Amino acid sequence: MSNRDVNVTEGDILKPLTVLAAPIVLSQLLQVGYNLADTFWVGQLGQEAVSALSYSWPLVFLMISVAGGFTVAGTVLVAQNKGAGNQDRVDFVAGQTIAFVGVLAVAFAALGYLLTPWLVGLVGAAPGSTEYALAVEYTRTVFLGVVFMFGFFIFQALLRGWGDTKTPLALMILGVALNVVLDPFLILGFEAGPLSMVGLSGLETTAYEATGFTGYGVQGAAIATVFSRGVGAVIGMAWLFSGRVGISLSLSDLRLDPDTLRDIVSIGAPASIEQSMRALGITALTALVAIAGDDAVAAFGIGNRLNSLIFLPAIGLSQGIETVVGQNLGNDRPDRAKQAVRYAVGMIAAVLAGVTVVAVVFAEPIVSVFISGENADSVVDIGVSYLQVIGPTFIFLGVYQVCQGAFRGSGSTRAAMIFSILSLWVFRLPVAYVLVTAFSMGAVGIWYGIAVSNVLSLVVAGAWYLRGTWADDVLDREPSAAAADD
């Protein structure tokens, strides 16, 4: 395998930025497909199974958020050291990040497995109910596979810091394909018709008669997820130790070094807190929307699904900017890092300007696609107000995400954490709560709270960006004593 890293420290910067971001966007799209496959096949089991997933997902998402924060440390450390031209240090910090996240994963697995019954009850499942039992079973299975899931995430992060987003995309494609194939069989077995759906009822009957396998139900979805991620993690680690992807690890790189661990925690802990607080903030916002009624919750769910698609380009550019900023600051080229941010801001503003026009003008037909049946008209009306109020602020949120990517790439994850907390817990939730309770504005008040937070978040983050000190937050590029001894 030839190295697929993109040169972002020399020559034109617009093209490599786009080449970095595009596979990230595609990976995010595949993640959406990943989740849809689980939801579709679990949906064949009925309401109790779907509800069990709903109770499990906040816990799984919180776990992923914590892991995601520490993988940011891998991206930043690899990017800055590659930019500095220190290949030995790149390998060492990559190995240190893998070892630290590995230890973290084992601790998570043990703690999560033990606490799952309490946690599932905490998010609302009634102990003793079928939903509770299924949610506990699903969540515990995921926790048992945390090492594989974290392994896949860290491989993505290290390669992104190196400047290669194509190889992680290839593994994501493999993982989604495996998940899509395994889901129906592990969930439904050979009795409920997964093969019949594609015209192979005879083969299905034969398989059922031979095995009697009726699937693992909801737990089958968790097994499929863990297995497909595990395959990607094992392949990714094999590539890292073989040197086929540019980073070349040895076992000595895995011996934990206190100095490097301090760097990892210094960068990763704020990023982890940021992502965890965001997950909790979304949960709190959903609870606030519930005050406005079930129709508002349905409209909010539709709005969130639309947002997840609309902001894929922003996510791609934000993570691409982490790499470009990290490598150029490591290469002592802050002006080039800032130039990349300006390009990214221009690109995301142009894309989201077009999206805003479409979202506002065609709000009703867009929302109508996602809802039908009883109370559909009420949900559509509330969903239309969501797009019409929040749509004009899409550009603000997109540019804010790019600024956050610049802060993380420089290692200023504390700044990114502070702005994220301000965005959700200061600018959004209190404003929305006041508009709903004191001014009785209902769901529209929450939409205005979100719109206000989108604008204010960019104002404060943009002011900090223009101040320029974030570009000075470059890590020590000298190898540690442990690395030098190796």
Side-chain angles (χ1 to χ4, degrees):
M1 179 188 299
S2 59
N3 293 345
R4 298 179 177 180
D5 57 306
V6 179
N7 186 349
V8 298
T9 57
E10 296 177 357
D12 174 59
I13 202 167
L14 183 59
K15 181 179 177 180
L17 176 60
T18 306
V19 170
L20 274 176
I24 297 173
V25 173
L26 291 175
S27 291
Q28 295 291 329
L29 274 172
L30 285 168
Q31 181 63 53
V32 172
Y34 208 90
N35 296 336
L36 288 176
D38 273 2
T39 304
F40 174 79
W41 289 113
V42 169
Q44 309 305 304
L45 299 173
Q47 169 267 321
E48 292 172 333
V50 174
S51 296
L53 275 190
S54 298
Y55 288 124
S56 295
W57 267 111
L59 303 177
V60 174
F61 185 61
L62 184 61
M63 174 194 71
I64 291 172
S65 298
V66 173
F70 283 102
T71 63
V72 169
T75 300
V76 174
L77 288 166
V78 168
Q80 292 196 2
N81 282 287
K82 185 186 180 186
N86 194 339
Q87 178 64 50
D88 289 341
R89 183 66 177 165
V90 167
D91 298 338
F92 182 71
V93 296
Q96 292 292 289
T97 309
I98 291 171
F100 177 77
V101 172
V103 171
L104 191 68
V106 172
F108 253 79
L111 190 63
Y113 187 88
L114 291 173
L115 295 180
T116 288
W118 175 71
L119 292 170
V120 170
L122 193 65
V123 297
S129 66
T130 301
E131 291 89 343
Y132 175 87
L134 292 175
V136 168
E137 188 177 60
Y138 178 93
T139 308
R140 276 187 156 172
T141 303
V142 171
F143 272 116
L144 287 176
V146 158
V147 171
F148 294 116
M149 298 182 72
F150 279 26
F152 184 80
F153 297 148
I154 193 61
F155 175 77
Q156 285 183 308
L158 295 176
L159 266 288
R160 187 166 67 245
W162 180 254
D164 177 6
T165 53
K166 294 177 183 176
T167 301
L169 173 61
L171 283 189
M172 176 66 85
I173 292 171
L174 174 62
V176 169
L178 282 173
N179 195 72
V180 168
V181 170
L182 291 173
D183 256 351
F185 300 107
L186 291 176
I187 294 170
L188 303 173
F190 297 115
E191 183 184 30
L195 286 175
S196 298
M197 291 181 182
V198 292
L200 297 174
S201 55
L203 178 60
E204 183 170 69
T205 300
T206 302
Y208 177 66
E209 290 175 350
T211 65
F213 183 55
T214 57
Y216 297 114
V218 173
Q219 188 182 31
I223 295 171
T225 296
V226 169
F227 179 81
S228 56
R229 292 292 199 200
V231 169
V234 170
I235 293 173
M237 291 301 131
W239 282 344
L240 287 172
F241 277 93
S242 71
R244 298 175 69 192
V245 289
I247 299 173
S248 182
L249 301 182
S250 64
L251 291 177
S252 62
D253 293 324
L254 302 181
R255 287 205 303 268
L256 292 174
D257 168 58
D259 291 335
T260 307
L261 285 185
R262 276 192 287 271
D263 284 342
I264 292 173
V265 173
S266 175
I267 299 169
S272 181
I273 293 170
E274 175 198 345
Q275 295 192 26
S276 302
M277 292 297 288
R278 187 187 307 137
L280 292 173
I282 292 170
T283 302
L285 189 62
T286 303
L288 185 58
V289 173
I291 296 175
D294 292 338
D295 290 350
V297 173
F300 183 60
I302 292 171
N304 273 341
R305 285 200 293 270
L306 291 171
N307 275 353
S308 68
L309 295 174
I310 288 169
F311 285 102
L312 285 178
I315 293 170
L317 282 171
S318 177
Q319 294 188 355
I321 279 294
E322 288 178 18
T323 301
V324 176
V325 166
Q327 289 197 19
N328 280 286
L329 290 183
N331 196 240
D332 199 23
R333 303 188 71 177
D335 290 343
R336 185 175 171 84
K338 293 176 182 178
Q339 181 187 25
V341 175
R342 289 194 295 271
Y343 277 137
V345 166
M347 291 166 67
I348 199 60
V351 169
L352 292 182
V355 168
T356 295
V357 172
V358 172
V360 172
V361 174
F362 300 103
E364 184 172 353
I366 290 173
V367 176
S368 298
V369 170
F370 294 91
I371 186 72
S372 61
E374 189 177 355
N375 296 330
D377 290 344
S378 174
V379 174
V380 169
D381 288 342
I382 299 172
V384 167
S385 69
Y386 177 97
L387 289 179
Q388 290 179 339
V389 171
I390 297 174
T393 68
F394 282 163
I395 294 176
F396 291 87
L397 185 56
V399 175
Y400 163 77
Q401 292 291 350
V402 170
C403 290
Q404 289 285 77
F407 300 149
R408 294 188 199 102
S410 73
S412 303
T413 51
R414 285 185 182 84
M417 175 191 71
I418 291 169
F419 295 134
S420 182
I421 292 173
L422 286 174
S423 176
L424 268 172
W425 293 93
V426 177
F427 300 150
R428 180 170 301 185
L429 285 166
V431 172
Y433 180 78
V434 169
L435 293 178
V436 169
T437 56
F439 292 88
S440 302
M441 292 178 65
V444 174
I446 298 172
W447 308 161
Y448 275 108
I450 295 172
V452 166
S453 73
N454 290 346
V455 174
L456 292 180
S457 297
L458 176 59
V459 169
V460 296
W464 184 261
Y465 173 84
L466 292 174
R467 188 167 180 259
T469 53
W470 60 271
D472 300 328
D473 196 5
V474 184
L475 299 166
D476 180 12
R477 295 191 291 268
E478 292 301 317
S480 68
D485 290 343
D486 291 334

